[in-house]
């Protein structure tokens, strides 16, 4: 019985030791499980943080990419604006050139119209002058013909009287006038001589008319 009791006591002590160790082990397991949960929580937090950081990095990369694209687009827009400004300047220059050409064309048309009017006026004046010249020429020919007939009559009247020799060559107007004046003077002297002797004679009006006519004809010529 004592042996059994000793064995039982020994087993009891071993059981208590085992239970104590078990409690220690369980306590250690709980502590380890708690630490594991804490580690897991920390790991999850770190994972979440890493995920957040990765998202931020991706976001930053997207921002950088977007900024690069925006910079490229701004450069393209700047180039397009520069080209547009050049095109607008070219259009403005072309419009100015077109306006200048239109003004020059208008001035040229005005000058041409003015020259045409001046040419028409000159042509009208030339036609008027030609008509006047023709009328003057016809009148001059008529006057020349009348003068030649009158001159021929004067020569016939002057050199056709008794005692006068007909001219051998063509006489000048001065020679004709001198001969006619000589005859007129002789007739006036003869008329005055007869009048002094008491002979009643007609007036010398016809003689004066003949005297003035050649002089006027010479003046007109």
């Amino acid at each position: 019985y004592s042996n059994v009791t000793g064995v039982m006591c020994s087993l009891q002590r071993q059981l208590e030791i085992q239970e104590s160790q078990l409690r220690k082990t369980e306590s250690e397991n709980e502590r380890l499980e708690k630490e594991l949960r804490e580690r897991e929580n920390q790991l999850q937090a770190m994972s979440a943080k890493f995920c957040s950081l990765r998202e931020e990095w991706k976001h930053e990369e997207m921002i950088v990419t977007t900024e690069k694209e925006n910079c490229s687009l701004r450069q393209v827009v700047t180039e397009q604006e520069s080209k547009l400004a050049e095109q607008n300047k070219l259009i403005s220059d072309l419009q100015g050139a077109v306006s200048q050409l239109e003004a020059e064309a208008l001035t040229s048309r005005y000058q041409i119209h003015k020259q045409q009017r001046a040419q028409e006026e000159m042509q009208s004046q030339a036609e008027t002058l030609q008509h006047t010249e023709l009328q003057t020429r016809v009148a001059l020919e008529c006057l020349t013909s009348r003068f030649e007939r009158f001159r021929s009559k004067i020569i016939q009247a002057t050199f056709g009287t008794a005692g006068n020799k007909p001219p051998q060559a063509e006489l000048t107007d001065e020679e004709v006038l001198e001969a006619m004046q000589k005859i007129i003077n002789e007739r006036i002297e003869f008329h005055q001589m007869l009048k002094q002797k008491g002979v009643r004679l007609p007036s010398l009006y016809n003689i004066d008319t003949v005297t003035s006519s050649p002089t006027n004809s010479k003046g007109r010529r």
Side-chain angles (χ1 to χ4, degrees):
Y1 178 75
S2 60
N3 290 331
V4 173
T5 303
V7 172
M8 289 295 292
C9 289
S10 177
L11 290 173
Q12 185 68 33
R13 284 194 300 272
Q14 290 180 359
L15 180 60
E16 290 177 355
I17 292 169
Q18 291 295 326
E19 288 178 353
S20 176
Q21 290 179 350
L22 179 61
R23 285 193 296 271
K24 288 181 179 179
T25 302
E26 289 178 352
S27 177
E28 185 67 21
N29 286 337
E30 290 177 358
R31 185 182 65 79
L32 291 174
E33 288 178 357
K34 183 179 179 180
E35 289 181 357
L36 180 60
R37 286 193 297 271
E38 290 177 355
R39 296 294 182 185
E40 287 178 353
N41 291 332
Q42 290 178 357
L43 181 60
Q44 289 178 358
M46 291 296 293
S47 298
K49 187 175 182 180
F50 287 150
C51 289
S52 178
L53 288 174
R54 281 196 297 270
E55 291 296 329
E56 290 180 0
W57 290 340
K58 289 181 181 179
H59 183 65
E60 289 179 357
E61 289 178 356
M62 290 177 63
I63 291 174
V64 171
T65 303
T66 304
E67 286 294 333
K68 289 182 179 179
E69 292 177 354
N70 289 336
C71 182
S72 178
L73 288 174
R74 281 194 295 270
Q75 185 176 359
V76 172
V77 169
T78 302
E79 292 176 356
Q80 292 296 326
E81 288 178 349
S82 178
K83 290 181 180 179
L84 181 61
E86 291 178 357
Q87 292 294 328
N88 289 332
K89 185 177 182 301
L90 179 60
I91 291 172
S92 179
D93 293 339
L94 290 174
Q95 288 177 348
V98 169
S99 299
Q100 184 177 0
L101 289 174
E102 288 178 349
E104 291 178 356
L106 182 62
T107 303
S108 298
R109 285 195 295 269
Y110 174 75
Q111 292 294 334
I112 291 172
H113 180 67
K114 186 177 180 181
Q115 290 178 358
Q116 287 178 349
R117 290 185 59 185
Q119 186 176 0
E120 290 175 357
E121 291 179 358
M122 291 177 63
Q123 186 174 358
S124 177
Q125 292 177 359
E127 292 176 355
T128 303
L129 289 174
Q130 289 177 355
H131 182 67
T132 304
E133 181 184 3
L134 180 61
Q135 290 180 341
T136 304
R137 187 179 299 170
V138 172
L140 181 61
E141 290 177 356
C142 292
L143 288 174
T144 303
S145 178
R146 290 177 61 186
F147 177 76
E148 291 297 331
R149 289 196 301 271
F150 183 70
R151 186 172 182 273
S152 177
K153 289 180 179 180
I154 290 174
I155 293 173
Q156 290 177 2
T158 302
F159 295 96
T161 59
N164 289 327
K165 295 181 179 181
Q168 300 297 323
E170 185 177 358
L171 298 175
T172 63
D173 294 342
E174 288 77 9
E175 292 174 344
V176 173
L177 288 174
E178 289 177 359
M180 186 178 64
Q181 189 67 40
K182 181 179 179 182
I183 293 173
I184 292 172
N185 292 334
E186 290 176 353
R187 289 184 179 181
I188 291 173
E189 290 176 357
F190 181 71
H191 184 274
Q192 289 178 352
M193 182 183 66
L194 292 177
K195 190 175 181 181
Q196 289 176 358
K197 290 182 178 182
V199 179
R200 300 183 66 179
L201 297 173
S203 174
L204 291 177
Y205 174 76
N206 293 332
I207 298 176
D208 294 338
T209 303
V210 173
T211 304
S212 61
S213 296
T215 305
N216 294 335
S217 299
K218 181 181 178 182
R220 285 193 301 270
R221 186 173 181 183

